[in-house]
Amino acid sequence: MITVPRPGRPRDEGNERADGAGPAAPTRRRSRVRAFGLRTRLLAAFLLVAAVSAGTTSALTYREARNALLKTAQDTAVSTFRDQVERTGWRLPVEEEGIEEILRDLARTGNPRPWVVFAEYGSIRASSGENPVSSVITPELRRAATADRYGSFERVVKDGVPYLTIGMPTVFKTGPDSTLPTGLVLYAVMRMTDEQINVDALLVAARNGALPGLAVALVPALLAARSVLRPVRELRRAARSMGSGRLDTRIPVRGRDELADLADTFNESAGQLERSVGELRDAEARARRFASDVSHELRTPLAGMLAVTEVLDEDADRLDPDTAQAVRLVSAETGKLAVLVEDLMEISRFDARAAELNADEIDVAEAIRKTLQVRHWAGDDRIRTELPPDIRARLDPRRFDVVIANLVGNALRHGGAPVTVLLRTEASSSGTLVLVVEVADRGPGIPAAALPHIFDRFYKADAARTRSPGSGLGLAITLENVNLHDGTIRAGNLPGGGAVLTVEIPLRAEEAVR
């Protein structure tokens, strides 16, 4: 009698192997990374954590259930096959006649699925099926079954169909604990399609269970994103409100987390900024009041001094030369002081937002000629004009007179003759019609370092010319008057030499005819 020793328990030596090519490597795609908001990033992070958690849980559950399902099937098949082989009596040497019937009897006892049983003994090959040799049985299984008296098994995938292959050697029992191999090895091949269907069902169940979990996780993700973004939105609104000038803006502090600390820090910074800006505004207001008060208080004594210097000027010719020179110096300096006081008062009105624009429709060329006549520049050979007739615009005559007088006077003092006053109209970049006045001279031009500061108060391009006739406020006042007209003014140099100052004011006349 040939018997098969029964081990304490079957050993799981199987490993899955698929014949044929493996799955193709996934292709790598380049995707454009687009910037997205904090809300989207929070939702993505929350869903990513939920997806990883759900995927990990589903994968572990699937793996354990799959292994348990396959192990149950293979343990049942191995134990049953071993028992059936042990109960079968064999006579040696094995003859080819009659062995197929024995193999068919073994195949009919297959559990949990029908088997196809193969036998290999020397050169003899037989089976319970149509083919005496199986293409599913691998050389590795043959070596393992021959080397291990307890047999071996292997899970194999052939042409997409999973199989369980079991190799069991037969032995002589020479003693209670000793055996001797006979050289006959039996193999059982069992399809595992039902197990594969159950495994696929487990995979679908795991996937279908993870997707609703992600949908449910979206709700706490939205709530978490809202709790984080609400303070951020409040901070944005508060910063925008402060940027518009409302320095008393504060953020409500909720909770004791990091966002609450941020809100508290913002409120402290806003309070310090409000106090600092308030102090600066108070200091600026005091400075403006001081300049205005000083200028106003100086007007009355200056008026008296101007009257006295005019009388002294008339009698200067009858005085001795030294006294006459001193009188003329006092008169000139008093005149400069009077101009400075008037300019300071004008600047203080601009700073206090008290300057008003009294616009009226005027003939621009006529207004420029009147400015030149009043200052006795009309017949001056140093001044040339190009003033087309019938250009009308809505301007404040007094302030426009100051603009032209300051530009021409500045060109005469610091430039070179001839000074050209050019008037025209043209379309701006926005398509609106603007009035353009250019005052150019033939002097040395404006130094490049002085161009950005030419309209600053008390700025003089030549530091050595501190005693020049101007107060340093003329172009600053000109800029303020142009701004009142919603216009612009710019300074530059001509290619052939000389400075040019260009004023552009929107043409608001009812009808402009060139």
Side-chain angles (χ1 to χ4, degrees):
M1 178 71 67
I2 301 174
T3 61
V4 178
R6 179 184 299 274
R9 59 176 181 174
R11 293 182 300 164
D12 187 0
E13 297 175 355
N15 61 335
E16 290 192 20
R17 200 187 74 176
D19 292 347
T27 58
R28 300 181 63 184
R29 294 182 177 179
R30 286 188 178 183
S31 58
R32 294 182 60 187
V33 180
R34 298 182 179 179
F36 49 90
L38 180 59
R39 181 187 183 89
T40 306
R41 293 200 297 270
L42 286 174
L43 290 177
F46 201 97
L47 291 180
L48 178 62
V49 172
V52 171
S53 301
T56 303
T57 303
S58 300
L60 293 175
T61 303
Y62 164 74
R63 189 187 68 178
E64 294 299 323
R66 171 181 174 276
N67 291 340
L69 181 64
L70 295 178
K71 190 174 187 303
T72 299
Q74 73 188 20
D75 288 351
T76 301
V78 171
S79 298
T80 302
F81 186 59
R82 181 180 288 111
D83 291 341
Q84 295 302 321
V85 171
E86 181 180 321
R87 292 192 183 98
T88 302
W90 300 90
R91 291 183 180 182
L92 296 177
V94 177
E95 297 180 357
E96 190 171 355
E97 296 179 1
I99 191 173
E100 293 182 354
E101 184 63 28
I102 298 174
L103 296 179
R104 280 193 287 270
D105 291 340
L106 286 174
R108 281 192 288 270
T109 62
N111 186 30
R113 303 280 181 272
W115 300 330
V116 177
V117 182
F118 297 85
E120 294 182 359
Y121 181 77
S123 61
I124 298 176
R125 300 290 185 270
S127 73
S128 63
E130 298 178 356
N131 299 321
V133 179
S134 173
S135 62
V136 179
I137 299 174
T138 65
E140 290 82 359
L141 179 63
R142 288 187 173 93
R143 287 193 295 269
T146 303
D148 192 341
R149 64 192 181 117
Y150 296 112
S152 184
F153 68 91
E154 187 177 28
R155 291 196 298 269
V156 178
V157 178
K158 178 70 174 180
D159 297 331
V161 180
Y163 296 91
L164 174 65
T165 57
I166 308 170
M168 197 68 62
T170 60
V171 296
F172 285 116
K173 189 173 183 180
T174 59
D177 297 320
S178 61
T179 58
L180 184 66
T182 66
L184 174 63
V185 182
L186 300 178
Y187 297 94
V189 177
M190 183 183 72
R191 282 175 174 261
M192 301 188 73
T193 52
D194 291 347
E195 284 77 11
Q196 185 63 41
I197 292 173
N198 293 333
V199 168
D200 293 340
L202 286 174
L203 179 62
V204 173
R207 182 187 61 194
N208 294 340
L211 292 179
L214 290 179
V216 173
L218 185 61
V219 176
L222 290 173
L223 295 177
R226 181 183 178 185
S227 64
V228 172
L229 291 179
R230 183 174 59 183
V232 175
R233 293 194 188 99
E234 291 177 350
L235 180 62
R236 181 187 62 187
R237 287 193 295 266
R240 185 177 299 171
S241 178
M242 292 189 64
S244 63
R246 298 181 57 185
L247 300 181
D248 58 342
T249 303
R250 299 294 184 271
I251 300 176
V253 180
R254 301 183 181 91
R256 297 181 179 180
D257 55 6
E258 289 81 359
L259 293 174
D261 293 340
L262 177 62
D264 190 56
T265 303
F266 177 87
N267 291 339
E268 292 179 359
S269 302
Q272 295 177 358
L273 179 61
E274 184 180 13
R275 288 189 293 271
S276 299
V277 172
E279 293 173 357
L280 289 175
R281 287 175 176 174
D282 291 341
E284 184 181 3
R286 288 194 298 269
R288 286 199 301 266
R289 284 196 301 269
F290 175 78
S292 178
D293 293 343
V294 168
S295 302
H296 187 272
E297 293 298 328
L298 287 176
R299 293 185 70 182
T300 301
L302 276 176
M305 293 173 63
L306 287 173
V308 172
T309 55
E310 288 179 2
V311 174
L312 292 176
D313 280 341
E314 293 177 357
D315 296 335
D317 294 337
R318 295 193 293 270
L319 300 175
D320 59 88
D322 293 338
T323 304
Q325 184 179 359
V327 168
R328 292 189 180 95
L329 179 60
V330 169
S331 178
E333 295 299 326
T334 303
K336 293 179 183 178
L337 183 59
V339 172
L340 176 60
V341 169
E342 292 296 331
D343 289 346
L344 285 173
M345 293 191 66
E346 185 71 8
I347 285 292
S348 65
R349 281 191 287 269
F350 284 119
D351 290 341
R353 305 292 190 270
E356 296 180 353
L357 190 69
N358 299 314
D360 193 10
E361 185 177 339
I362 63 173
D363 187 311
V364 182
E366 184 61 30
I368 294 175
R369 281 192 288 268
K370 183 177 179 181
T371 298
L372 299 178
Q373 289 173 358
V374 169
R375 289 159 180 82
H376 307 290
W377 292 332
D380 197 327
D381 294 337
R382 298 176 300 168
I383 297 177
R384 298 176 183 176
T385 60
E386 295 181 17
L387 308 176
D390 299 329
I391 296 180
R392 303 187 66 83
R394 290 193 61 82
L395 303 172
D396 185 324
R398 185 183 71 84
R399 298 191 180 278
F400 187 68
D401 172 78
V402 173
V403 170
I404 300 300
N406 284 346
L407 293 180
V408 175
N410 187 76
L412 289 174
R413 285 192 300 270
H414 308 301
V419 175
T420 303
V421 182
L422 175 65
L423 173 66
R424 68 176 185 275
T425 59
E426 63 182 30
S428 65
S429 58
S430 61
T432 60
L433 202 60
V434 295
L435 176 73
V436 180
V437 179
E438 286 185 358
V439 178
D441 61 65
R442 295 296 177 180
I446 304 172
L451 280 175
H453 310 284
I454 199 68
F455 298 105
D456 293 351
R457 298 176 184 182
F458 298 106
Y459 180 80
K460 295 184 179 182
D462 187 0
R465 200 181 64 245
T466 56
R467 300 295 298 172
S468 62
S471 63
L473 294 174
L475 291 182
I477 293 174
T478 301
L479 174 64
E480 297 290 349
N481 281 311
V482 172
N483 289 339
L484 277 179
H485 287 86
D486 293 333
T488 60
I489 183 172
R490 61 180 183 272
N493 291 311
L494 295 172
V500 57
L501 284 89
T502 305
V503 175
E504 294 183 0
I505 298 176
L507 198 64
R508 296 192 179 94
E510 299 296 335
E511 183 179 1
V513 181
R514 195 181 294 200

